[in-house]
Amino acid sequence: MSGRSADSITLDIERSIVAGELEEGRPLPAERALMEQYGASRTVIREAITALTAKGFLKSRPRYRPIVCRPDASSAMQAAGGVIKHLLDNSRGVHDLYQVRVLFERVLVRDAATGAGKDDLKRLKDALDDNQAAICDSERFYATDVAFHRVLYTISGNPAYPAIHAGFVEWLAPQWSRMPRSEQRNHDNFLAHQAIYEAILMRDPDAAERALVDHLEASWEFVRSTFFAGENE
Amino acid sequence: MSGRSADSITLDIERSIVAGELEEGRPLPAERALMEQYGASRTVIREAITALTAKGFLKSRPRYRPIVCRPDASSAMQAAGGVIKHLLDNSRGVHDLYQVRVLFERVLVRDAATGAGKDDLKRLKDALDDNQAAICDSERFYATDVAFHRVLYTISGNPAYPAIHAGFVEWLAPQWSRMPRSEQRNHDNFLAHQAIYEAILMRDPDAAERALVDHLEASWEFVRSTFFAGENE
DNA sequence: AATGACGTTTGGTACGACCATATACTGTTG
DNA sequence: CAACAGTATATGGTCGTACCAAACGTCATT
C-alpha cells in the first residue's frame, strides 16, 4: 500500500540480522545476489543497504561489502550519536548532555556506596591507583580518568551502562579531551576521585554523591570557562 | 577521497539543515533540483536522502517530498529507538532498559524533593489529582500515570529529560500499556504516586527515592510475571 | 611456496525510461 | 465570480543498462 518496496526489504534484512540468519561480522551478500533474492532492482537494494547502514545494522567502508552488525546497547548509542553531535555546538547543548551524565553517575556512586562488592571495590581501587600513577602524564591521566568513571558503570552488571558511558565519553570528548591540562589539575582531579572512592568505601552514599557532584561541577566550570567563556548562560 | 560522493552530499545537506538554511518543517527541494545543485545523478541524491531519512533529519511519507527535521533530543531518542526496540524481545533486554529508567527517576525524585519550586509541586499535585480521578477508567489511568511521571522529567528544565521520558514510554509500552488492569491495581498505583508526592512535599529525598523504587519494582514484578513468567532470570 | 600478472566480481556512479500520484493549471459551469 | 471538474505537469518510486575502478580470486611463473 505505501509505495516503498525498499522499506519492506530493509525491514526483512533487519529481521534477518536480529534473527541471526545473517551472521554478525560476516559481509552482506552481494547487491546483485540480493536483487535476485528479493526480485528487486539494484536501486531498491542499495537504498535498503543505505538505510540499514544509517540505522547501524551495517558497517560499510567505501569499496567493501557491508559488514553485518547485530544491534546492542552500543550501536543504539551510536545511532543516537549521529544526531546528538549536532546538539553540541553551543554550551547549552553540551551542558544539557553533561547534566544527564552527572545525573547518571550520581546514582551509580550511591549504589556503589551501598552495594558494591569486594571485587568492585578492588577494581575501583586499581583504577584509582592507575589514575594516581598517571598524574605526571596528562595524556595517560585522561585515559585513567575515563577508566575510573567507567568502573562505576560496570558495577551493576547492566550492559546498557557501559554503552551509555562510552556515549558520554565520545560526545563530550571534543571539549574534555582537548582541555588544557597540568600536573596541578591532574592532581586535583585525582584527589576528587579519591574522595569519591573513600566515600564509597565508607558506605556513605550521601558523601559519595556530594564528592561526585563537586568533582563534576568543577570539571564543567573549567570546561565552560575554557570553551564557552563568551556565551550567555 | 573515499569513494562515496553520496556521503559528502549527505553531510552537506545535514549541515544545511542544522545551519537553518533549509527551514525546519519545509519540504526538501525536488530530487531533480538537488541533482543539478550538486552536479550529481539522481541515484546519488536519492541515496543521500535515504541516509538522511534514516538518520532522522528528514521525515518522508511515501509519495510526498521529504520534510526537513531539525535535530533535537527527541529525534536523538528516536534514532536510538530503531535499534533499541530489537533489544526488547526478551525479559533481559526489557529489564536492562527498565533499570535505566528507574535509575533516572531515582535522581529526579531526589532532586524534586530537595529543589522543586512551588509551581513544580503544583504541577505534580495536579497530575496526582488527575491520576486519582481516573482510577475507575483504566485507559485514562494509564495516561495520567505516564503524565505524573513525566512531570518529574520537566522539573529540571533540561530539554533532554522529557525526550528521554518519551523514549522510555514508547519503548516500554509493548508491556506496560498492554498490562491487564483493574481498579484495584490502579488504586494501588495511585497510592504509590501519592507516597512519592508526599515525600517530595516533605522534602525528604531518601523517602521519595524509596517510595519510587518500591513503586517501580512492584510494577516490574507485575510485568515480569505477566509477560515473562517462563523465562529464566 | 612465494610472487606477480590477469581476468572476474562487485561496489559506486551515471543516464534514461516508465509509472502512479500529488500538485498546479485551466476551462467550464452554476 | 466562485466552485468544480478535467487536464497537464512535476515529482517520487522503480527498473534496466552501462561503465569505471577497486577488490578479489586464479593461475602461471619463478
Side-chain angles (χ1 to χ4, degrees):
Chain A
M1 73 167 73
S2 74
R4 264 177 309 205
S5 67
D7 283 353
S8 57
I9 296 179
T10 304
L11 266 280
D12 190 72
I13 296 181
E14 201 172 312
R15 191 199 48 71
S16 298
I17 293 177
V18 229
E21 298 165 19
L22 292 172
E23 224 171 321
E24 181 178 6
R26 311 299 314 166
L28 201 65
E31 296 177 358
R32 287 161 174 94
L34 288 172
M35 84 188 248
E36 188 167 357
Q37 172 179 343
Y38 285 102
S41 73
R42 204 141 85 92
T43 314
V44 177
I45 299 297
R46 285 184 60 79
E47 215 161 307
I49 291 178
T50 306
L52 288 168
T53 302
K55 279 179 145 198
F57 290 93
L58 298 174
K59 291 239 172 310
S60 59
R61 288 176 298 161
R63 276 254 151 216
Y64 295 78
R65 308 265 283 276
I67 301 297
V68 174
C69 283
R70 193 76 152 281
D72 57 6
S74 166
S75 40
M77 290 298 112
Q78 198 173 341
V83 179
I84 287 184
K85 65 181 210 292
H86 287 293
L87 306 175
L88 303 177
D89 60 343
N90 55 41
S91 74
R92 174 64 190 276
V94 177
H95 188 241
D96 286 345
L97 177 62
Y98 191 68
Q99 268 196 323
V100 178
R101 179 200 158 173
V102 175
L103 181 154
F104 222 88
E105 296 197 9
R106 281 169 60 198
V107 189
L108 295 180
V109 294
R110 290 191 75 87
D111 285 351
T114 57
K118 277 202 163 11
D119 50 332
D120 296 321
L121 294 175
K122 178 171 182 347
R123 296 211 327 278
L124 210 50
K125 181 66 165 63
D126 289 346
L128 186 66
D129 291 341
D130 287 349
N131 192 228
Q132 182 172 30
I135 287 179
C136 51
D137 178 349
S138 283
E139 188 153 349
R140 258 198 36 181
F141 186 84
Y142 176 69
T144 61
D145 188 336
V146 169
F148 176 80
H149 285 269
R150 172 163 38 231
V151 174
L152 297 171
Y153 290 77
T154 63
I155 292 179
S156 83
N158 188 325
Y161 293 179
I164 291 171
H165 175 257
F168 288 149
V169 170
E170 183 184 333
W171 301 327
L172 296 173
Q175 278 77 39
W176 267 261
S177 74
R178 297 215 304 265
M179 204 152 57
R181 301 192 161 269
S182 69
E183 205 158 318
Q184 177 59 46
R185 278 204 49 74
N186 294 348
H187 191 254
D188 291 346
N189 281 326
F190 161 71
L191 289 181
H193 294 154
Q194 191 175 43
I196 294 169
Y197 170 71
E198 282 173 2
I200 291 174
L201 206 59
M202 303 296 284
R203 302 297 187 188
D204 185 341
D206 289 326
E209 180 177 354
R210 212 176 316 118
L212 175 92
V213 170
D214 287 346
H215 169 45
L216 292 183
E217 283 190 349
S219 179
W220 164 252
E221 181 49 33
F222 193 59
V223 164
R224 195 197 59 73
S225 62
T226 304
F227 290 96
F228 307 110
E231 297 185 27
N232 38 356
E233 279 283 321
Chain B
M1 85 158 63
S2 73
R4 264 178 309 206
S5 70
D7 284 353
S8 56
I9 295 178
T10 304
L11 266 281
D12 190 72
I13 297 182
E14 201 171 311
R15 190 198 49 71
S16 298
I17 293 177
V18 244
E21 297 164 20
L22 292 172
E23 225 171 321
E24 181 176 6
R26 311 299 315 165
L28 200 66
E31 296 178 356
R32 288 163 173 91
L34 287 172
M35 85 187 248
E36 189 167 355
Q37 172 179 343
Y38 286 102
S41 73
R42 228 175 109 202
T43 314
V44 176
I45 299 296
R46 284 184 61 78
E47 213 161 308
I49 291 178
T50 307
L52 288 169
T53 303
K55 279 180 146 196
F57 291 92
L58 298 174
K59 291 243 171 304
S60 59
R61 288 177 298 161
R63 278 250 148 224
Y64 294 78
R65 307 264 283 275
I67 302 296
V68 174
C69 284
R70 194 75 153 281
D72 58 6
S74 167
S75 39
M77 289 298 111
Q78 198 174 340
V83 179
I84 286 184
K85 65 181 210 291
H86 287 292
L87 306 175
L88 303 177
D89 59 343
N90 55 41
S91 74
R92 174 63 192 277
V94 177
H95 188 242
D96 287 344
L97 177 62
Y98 191 69
Q99 268 196 325
V100 177
R101 179 198 159 176
V102 175
L103 181 154
F104 222 87
E105 297 197 10
R106 281 169 62 196
V107 189
L108 294 180
V109 295
R110 290 191 75 87
D111 284 352
T114 56
K118 278 201 161 11
D119 51 332
D120 296 322
L121 294 175
K122 178 173 182 345
R123 298 213 324 281
L124 209 50
K125 181 65 166 64
D126 290 345
L128 186 66
D129 290 341
D130 289 349
N131 193 227
Q132 183 172 29
I135 287 179
C136 50
D137 178 348
S138 283
E139 189 152 347
R140 260 198 33 180
F141 186 84
Y142 177 68
T144 62
D145 188 336
V146 169
F148 175 79
H149 285 269
R150 173 163 37 232
V151 174
L152 297 171
Y153 289 77
T154 64
I155 293 179
S156 83
N158 187 327
Y161 293 178
I164 291 170
H165 174 256
F168 288 148
V169 170
E170 183 185 333
W171 300 327
L172 297 172
Q175 279 77 40
W176 267 261
S177 75
R178 297 214 304 266
M179 204 153 55
R181 300 193 162 267
S182 69
E183 205 158 317
Q184 177 59 45
R185 278 203 49 75
N186 293 347
H187 191 255
D188 290 346
N189 281 327
F190 162 70
L191 289 182
H193 294 154
Q194 192 174 43
I196 294 168
Y197 169 71
E198 281 173 3
I200 291 174
L201 207 60
M202 303 296 283
R203 302 298 187 187
D204 186 340
D206 290 325
E209 179 178 353
R210 213 175 316 117
L212 175 92
V213 169
D214 287 347
H215 169 45
L216 292 183
E217 283 189 349
S219 180
W220 164 252
E221 182 47 34
F222 193 58
V223 164
R224 194 197 60 73
S225 63
T226 304
F227 291 96
F228 307 109
E231 297 186 29
N232 38 357
E233 278 283 320

